[in-house]
Amino acid sequence: MTKHPVALNDLDWSGTSDGPAAARSRARMTPAQRIEWLEESLDLALATGALDADRARRQAAADSWDVPQSEAGRRASPLL
């Protein structure tokens, strides 16, 4: 019986560098090898636009929590 691939959602990181096997493999690396791996990962994230997309997602989440300055001043002071 053949299993059909399951569609993954955007937040499903299974099978990526966050998986248990990859984490164990990195644990056996020297510090220099880990830095090289990190640099390669960041280069890939930059090249594919993944880093920009993640930053934009995080900024949008932060912006949704923004409080206008006039309200922020009133909330910060218990006397007002």
Side-chain angles (χ1 to χ4, degrees):
M1 181 172 161
T2 304
K3 288 188 175 183
H4 296 288
V6 177
L8 301 177
N9 69 36
D10 291 339
L11 300 177
D12 185 355
W13 289 82
S14 60
T16 68
S17 62
D18 288 344
R24 284 192 303 273
S25 177
R26 280 195 312 276
R28 292 188 289 266
M29 292 179 167
T30 66
Q33 289 171 321
R34 288 181 189 187
I35 290 171
E36 183 179 349
W37 173 85
L38 180 59
E39 288 173 344
E40 289 173 0
S41 297
L42 288 173
D43 288 345
L44 178 62
L46 282 169
T48 61
L51 195 56
D52 288 334
D54 186 59
R55 285 179 178 155
R57 181 184 58 78
R58 290 171 184 255
Q59 187 62 52
D63 290 345
S64 72
W65 285 89
D66 270 351
V67 177
Q69 278 305 108
S70 59
E71 284 186 45
R74 281 189 298 231
R75 288 184 185 178
S77 174
L79 301 175
L80 296 177

